[in-house]
Amino acid sequence: MHVIHDDLLPSFETMTRLDGMQTDPTRTLILMEAVPDQGITKENQLYQLLSKNQVISDYEFLLEPSNSLTCFEDAMVGLSRDTIWYQYGIGDEPEGPIPDSNLTSVHIDNFTNYMKKRLNIQEKCNLEEDKYGVLISRKRSRRVLNEDELVEVISKTFKLDVVLISLEDNSVKDLIKLISCAKFMIGVHGALMILSMFLPTSSLILELFPFALRPEAYTPYNTLSVLSGRDLEYLSWRNMNRSRTVTFPKNDEYKGGITHLSQEDRERIINSDEVPPHLCCYDPEFRFRLNQDTEVDIPDIVNILNHSHLFKRLKK
């Protein structure tokens, strides 16, 4: 989410304005405040798609001798904010859509088409024959504990293939390729849902929310889906059954652990039915609930899908 929303989409918009970039990149991308020990990650590879030469980290300049000098023929510092559509609650207000965002479906289409071209994803979707959906599988946190059963039931009920995808098992190219021809996308609220921007028109997004997290409070993907011209159907499911969740109070603080809190605060968080409004980014109750695992209510999800516009069309 942060890589695409905060960096890649604004970078693409900025470079397009400067150079009319529609094919190969013409400039070298420099990442400021880059993490020096992150290594070659899948996110790094996405940055590389926007850079003419090897992406440079400002950390690399710090490693050079103090009397060295790096020269540029010209440079553009900063990024356009026209494609930013969401704020994460950094400041005085809880997270939510940016009311005066300039983002349009044209921005999304130009960006996704460019990324697919750079990734050499050339196949055209046959929307009549490619009748499958994808379910995002999380391996470390926010797991769907009965995801195999969910896949089996959806497949049998709607006579559609459901493909399990994950960052651990799939390359970014494969993820985008599969999503680009999918009829629907299902996943727990999390960063990988940003790839819903690669869904074809008339597709469906079903976002799953763990216990105590209100769908209306966390809406980056809902906001993206309702852009004029996107023609996507967005639905959400929220776990309302405390017994269908597994929490991890002994995790470290960032991953939802609460053992560092007072006994009173721990009991309040554990007994709460709903995370109250909060600011970014380390609210302990939000982290505690965000990182829990869920056994989803499969009949409930099938019922939601059954009443969706997409599945009504597919039945005809």
Side-chain angles (χ1 to χ4, degrees):
M1 169 65 184
H2 291 286
V3 167
I4 291 179
H5 176 270
D6 302 355
D7 296 347
L8 296 181
L9 192 53
S11 294
F12 176 77
E13 174 66 12
T14 303
M15 293 179 180
T16 298
R17 288 188 179 186
L18 289 173
D19 302 319
M21 183 181 67
Q22 294 298 326
T23 53
D24 294 331
T26 58
R27 292 173 177 262
T28 299
L29 193 62
I30 299 177
L31 302 182
M32 307 302 291
E33 299 182 5
V35 180
D37 59 350
Q38 66 180 349
I40 303 300
T41 66
K42 295 180 180 182
E43 289 84 358
N44 292 134
Q45 295 169 23
L46 289 178
Y47 286 112
Q48 190 59 54
L49 299 177
L50 295 175
S51 186
K52 179 179 180 181
N53 300 302
Q54 184 66 39
V55 174
I56 300 173
S57 162
D58 62 343
Y59 180 75
E60 296 175 40
F61 294 123
L62 299 178
L63 297 178
E64 295 180 359
S66 59
N67 61 348
S68 66
L69 184 65
T70 302
C71 298
F72 300 94
E73 183 177 339
D74 65 88
M76 172 70 181
V77 180
L79 299 175
S80 166
R81 292 185 54 84
D82 279 355
T83 58
I84 300 296
W85 76 86
Y86 204 75
Q87 59 86 15
Y88 305 108
I90 301 174
D92 299 327
E93 295 290 332
E95 70 175 80
I98 294 176
D100 57 349
S101 172
N102 294 317
L103 180 70
T104 69
S105 60
V106 174
H107 291 114
I108 300 299
D109 290 342
N110 288 341
F111 173 74
T112 55
N113 288 336
Y114 172 85
M115 297 298 280
K116 285 191 288 186
K117 183 173 182 178
R118 292 285 291 155
L119 288 166
N120 198 29
I121 299 175
Q122 300 175 342
E123 296 92 320
K124 298 294 183 182
C125 302
N126 187 330
L127 297 182
E128 292 301 317
E129 296 182 7
D130 295 334
K131 293 187 176 181
Y132 71 89
V134 296
L135 190 151
I136 297 173
S137 177
R138 298 183 65 97
K139 307 296 186 182
R140 299 171 186 171
S141 66
R142 279 171 272 179
R143 296 179 299 168
V144 174
L145 298 175
N146 53 343
E147 67 179 17
D148 290 336
E149 183 183 354
L150 177 62
V151 167
E152 182 180 1
V153 171
I154 292 176
S155 298
K156 289 182 177 179
T157 302
F158 299 107
K159 304 298 188 292
L160 292 169
D161 291 331
V162 182
V163 182
L164 277 175
I165 60 175
S166 70
L167 273 177
E168 290 83 3
D169 296 333
N170 301 98
S171 67
V172 172
K173 178 178 178 178
D174 286 341
L175 291 173
I176 292 175
K177 182 178 178 180
L178 285 166
I179 292 170
S180 293
C181 293
K183 292 289 187 185
F184 61 90
M185 179 176 179
I186 302 174
V188 176
H189 175 69
L192 204 57
M193 291 295 287
I194 188 65
L195 295 184
S196 61
M197 66 168 51
F198 288 93
L199 282 169
T201 57
S202 302
S203 300
L204 178 145
I205 305 167
L206 177 57
E207 189 171 10
L208 311 177
F209 286 85
F211 181 77
L213 290 182
R214 297 179 298 119
E216 58 271 22
Y218 311 98
T219 63
Y221 314 118
N222 188 1
T223 303
L224 179 63
S225 70
V226 298
L227 282 177
S228 177
R230 296 238 64 210
D231 191 26
L232 296 179
E233 182 177 7
Y234 175 90
L235 299 170
S236 64
W237 173 85
R238 174 184 175 185
N239 178 25
M240 301 297 292
N241 190 335
R242 184 188 296 271
S243 67
R244 287 179 173 267
T245 190
V246 177
T247 59
F248 301 93
K250 294 183 180 180
N251 276 359
D252 65 45
E253 182 177 348
Y254 180 76
K255 295 181 179 179
I258 55 174
T259 55
H260 64 290
L261 301 177
S262 68
Q263 181 66 28
E264 180 182 358
D265 284 340
R266 291 199 299 269
E267 291 180 358
R268 175 184 57 78
I269 289 172
I270 290 172
N271 294 324
S272 173
D273 291 331
E274 189 170 283
V275 175
H278 58 87
L279 300 179
C280 185
C281 294
Y282 300 104
D283 180 84
E285 185 168 353
F286 167 67
R287 285 286 168 191
F288 176 72
R289 290 301 178 187
L290 182 67
N291 288 282
Q292 62 195 325
D293 295 339
T294 303
E295 179 186 337
V296 298
D297 186 325
I298 294 177
D300 198 14
I301 289 177
V302 169
N303 184 56
I304 291 173
L305 295 176
N306 208 27
H307 288 84
S308 69
H309 298 306
L310 170 67
F311 284 87
K312 287 179 179 178
R313 289 198 308 270
L314 294 176
K315 289 178 183 178
K316 295 180 179 179

